[in-house]
Amino acid sequence: MNHDSMQHFSAGLSTLVLAYVVSVIGSLIGLACMARARAEPVRRAKVRWTVLGAISIGGVAIWLMHFIAMLGFDVPGAAIKYSAPLTALSAVVAIGVVGLGLSLVTLVRFTRTRLLVAGALAGLGVAGMHYLGMSAIRFKGELSYDTTLVVLSCVIAVVAATAAFWFTLVVKTTAARFAAGLIMGVAVTGMHYTGMAAVRVDVDPLVVAPSGTTVFDLVFPVFVTSALVVAVLLWMLFTADDEALGEPA
């Protein structure tokens, strides 16, 4: 029995807003780390800020946003479980691919070509994380996808991620960096909801009941861990600012 995805993805306005806000916060912190990495003269410091930027963008702006948005996914009459290992792997993929993209604009000389490659890697990291995270879903049936919407979701992610990087690297004002965070949030949430529109649900009552973890069993550890990560990232950013202000001219 095949169903359109929108019958099962009942994300309310509050879930959408929360997911977008979380994505913007993670993007702003990550882009600030990215700017810090480019400003650092010491390579070790550049690497450290690049890693922190990847964790913020890949782990918070992308993965946590996806997790929040998936709270609205439901298949009526079917219990949904998640593969915890695949869910965790999707976070690793997001952080790793985004980190690779960031390194092309923070650890080497900036060029337009590297910016385009970095945007493509970050955008595909968003998409890869999304579809890997979707593969973690377990229920009595299977998911399929509309190819056109899948491609569109990837294009949205790549274009918006590239634009966000450009804003951060080329335009140096605070307002521009804030705009970059908003754009990156659009990249993540726009890609996610376009990807969800591509989903087709095929329920099969004869399939054996799935094993795995319910999404609500994952909520507490995920949010506690994410809150700690954000707190540490903010502390490091503010501490770095204080140290810079305290240095002699």
Side-chain angles (χ1 to χ4, degrees):
M1 182 169 55
N2 185 270
H3 297 281
D4 193 358
S5 65
M6 300 312 289
Q7 293 176 320
H8 307 291
F9 195 70
S10 56
L13 180 61
S14 59
T15 302
L16 171 60
V17 171
L18 177 60
Y20 177 70
V21 168
V22 166
S23 183
V24 170
I25 290 172
S27 297
L28 288 173
I29 296 173
L31 293 172
C33 292
M34 184 178 171
R36 176 75 63 179
R38 286 183 53 80
E40 288 285 351
V42 180
R43 185 171 180 81
R44 180 179 297 179
K46 285 180 176 290
V47 171
R48 181 177 69 248
W49 285 111
T50 299
V51 170
L52 293 175
I55 292 172
S56 182
I57 295 175
V60 178
I62 297 175
W63 186 78
L64 182 58
M65 176 272 154
H66 170 86
F67 189 86
I68 292 172
M70 287 307 297
L71 294 175
F73 182 76
D74 179 48
V75 178
I80 296 179
K81 301 290 184 67
Y82 288 82
S83 167
L86 276 179
T87 301
L89 178 61
S90 66
V92 174
V93 168
I95 294 171
V97 177
V98 169
L100 182 59
L102 291 181
S103 68
L104 293 178
V105 290
T106 59
L107 302 182
V108 295
R109 186 173 62 87
F110 169 68
T111 65
R112 184 174 300 177
T113 299
R114 285 173 178 160
L115 172 63
L116 293 175
V117 174
L121 282 173
L124 292 176
V126 175
M129 180 271 128
H130 172 83
Y131 291 108
L132 182 58
M134 291 299 294
S135 72
I137 296 176
R138 303 286 184 264
F139 68 101
K140 297 180 72 171
E142 61 181 18
L143 302 178
S144 59
Y145 296 91
D146 180 285
T147 303
T148 301
L149 288 176
V150 169
V151 172
L152 177 60
S153 70
C154 294
V155 171
I156 291 172
V158 170
V159 171
T162 303
F165 284 179
W166 182 87
F167 267 97
T168 301
L169 295 170
V170 178
V171 188
K172 303 298 184 180
T173 65
T174 301
R177 288 177 180 166
F178 183 74
L182 296 178
I183 293 171
M184 184 68 82
V186 170
V188 179
T189 54
M191 183 276 138
H192 176 88
Y193 286 103
T194 302
M196 291 309 299
V199 175
R200 301 296 180 263
V201 178
D202 187 12
V203 178
D204 185 353
L206 300 179
V207 172
V208 177
S211 61
T213 307
T214 66
V215 67
F216 291 103
D217 289 335
L218 296 172
V219 165
F220 182 75
V222 164
F223 275 84
V224 170
T225 302
S226 300
L228 289 174
V229 168
V230 170
V232 169
L233 289 168
L234 288 173
W235 177 80
M236 294 189 71
L237 281 170
F238 287 127
T239 300
D241 287 337
D242 291 341
E243 291 175 351
L245 291 173
E247 292 176 355

